[in-house]
Amino acid sequence: MLLQAAENLRRLFYPLLCKACGNEVFQQEQLLCWRCLEELPFTGFEQHAENPVKRIFTGRLKLQEAFSLLYFNKDSITQAVAHRFKYKGEKELGIYMGEMMGRKMQSIDRFQQLDYIIPLPLNKKKLRQRGYNQAELLAKGISQILQVPVHTQAVMRTRYTSTQTKKNRIQRWMNVEHVFDVQETQSLEGKHVLLVDDVITTGATMEAMGEVLLRIPGLQLSLCSLAYASRI
């Protein structure tokens, strides 16, 4: 009873707050309140081998599987969550969302044969500015659920690129063309890797890195993202 009283007193002065909306969270292990959790627009893509994310890359990349957890729309709960861990230093939230992705994939046989998880790398300049790679946070969360190791040394982003946000598909592709370079191939030969990013829109960045990875002999490629921003 003393412990419960102490916890109640602590919560009175230092309540746990939702990382998205700021309302109080009543379970210590939850980073989002129940209202935000209910509002999350899950895609259900993990249930379908031929889903919209995989179709983006038809004729562009040879993929085994593809998946996005949430739909992304402007001024949505998804945008709020992504913004918090990408730009506001909420690293724990990025890992938490990665765990959520991992649980969805854990229930599907198609995602059970992975050897490595590879987060989309940041250029060194952008990594210094931000202090961390948001895709790596998601990858760590997925790894904790699927028990698949994260590989961060395979591919390097060789130059700084401007934001993709306001670019069309052609501009996005030109912005990331020849950006990625394979640093270490031997450990990935014949392996099935999962490429991870935060948001997929046109797929240009994933395509650019996927092409580089698929040059590794025998490599099989799957990819996933926290969110899918449909342009339709």
Side-chain angles (χ1 to χ4, degrees):
M1 290 185 65
L2 287 176
L3 288 175
Q4 184 61 50
E7 174 62 14
N8 291 340
L9 185 62
R10 185 196 67 79
R11 290 178 66 91
L12 178 63
F13 291 100
Y14 302 101
L16 299 172
L17 302 180
C18 174
K19 298 295 186 181
C21 70
N23 288 328
E24 188 170 359
V25 176
F26 295 99
Q27 293 185 21
Q28 190 165 1
E29 68 275 10
Q30 294 286 355
L31 298 186
L32 300 178
C33 68
W34 66 269
R35 288 181 179 175
C36 286
L37 286 170
E38 285 191 342
E39 288 181 13
L40 288 175
F42 292 103
T43 64
F45 289 168
E46 74 280 0
Q47 300 289 339
H48 307 284
E50 298 300 323
N51 60 65
V53 174
K54 191 171 184 181
R55 287 198 293 270
I56 289 175
F57 299 95
T58 301
R60 297 162 62 185
L61 283 180
K62 183 180 179 182
L63 295 179
Q64 304 302 308
E65 305 296 339
F67 157 72
S68 292
L69 181 71
L70 306 171
Y71 288 106
F72 184 97
N73 293 294
K74 188 177 180 180
D75 300 323
S76 66
I77 180 64
T78 304
Q79 185 182 45
V81 168
H83 186 85
R84 293 291 296 180
F85 77 80
K86 186 172 182 177
Y87 299 113
K88 298 299 183 180
E90 299 283 2
K91 298 179 185 179
E92 189 180 8
L93 181 58
I95 295 172
Y96 177 80
M97 298 309 296
E99 290 174 344
M100 199 176 292
M101 295 166 68
R103 291 188 189 95
K104 291 291 186 180
M105 289 186 279
Q106 188 180 43
S107 64
I108 304 300
D109 290 342
R110 302 194 317 276
F111 291 99
Q112 301 306 308
Q113 304 301 320
L114 298 170
D115 297 298
Y116 290 108
I117 301 170
I118 299 180
L120 198 81
L122 288 180
N123 174 267
K124 289 182 179 179
K125 178 181 177 181
K126 190 170 288 187
L127 185 59
R128 285 195 301 270
Q129 291 173 344
R130 189 170 296 164
Y132 59 93
N133 179 358
Q134 72 277 2
E136 189 171 339
L137 298 178
L138 295 170
K140 287 179 179 178
I142 296 169
S143 174
Q144 289 175 10
I145 300 300
L146 298 186
Q147 296 298 296
V148 175
V150 177
H151 198 324
T152 60
Q153 305 303 315
V155 180
M156 178 181 178
R157 198 160 187 154
T158 57
R159 62 179 174 86
Y160 184 88
T161 55
S162 58
T163 180
Q164 298 276 69
T165 304
K166 296 183 179 181
K167 292 179 171 62
N168 61 35
R169 178 173 173 175
I170 300 300
Q171 290 170 331
R172 285 169 181 254
W173 171 250
M174 293 176 66
N175 192 43
V176 295
E177 189 177 15
H178 309 306
V179 164
F180 300 104
D181 183 46
V182 175
Q183 299 294 297
E184 196 282 315
T185 64
Q186 189 172 3
S187 66
L188 297 181
E189 291 184 5
K191 302 299 185 182
H192 184 185
V193 304
L194 178 71
L195 178 57
V196 179
D197 200 9
D198 54 348
V199 181
I200 291 176
T201 304
T202 66
T205 308
M206 285 283 215
E207 180 182 357
M209 184 167 170
E211 283 189 348
V212 170
L213 284 170
L214 286 171
R215 295 172 192 163
I216 299 173
L219 183 137
Q220 292 182 303
L221 180 65
S222 291
L223 58 83
C224 70
S225 69
L226 174 66
Y228 166 63
S230 174
R231 287 295 185 90
I232 299 176

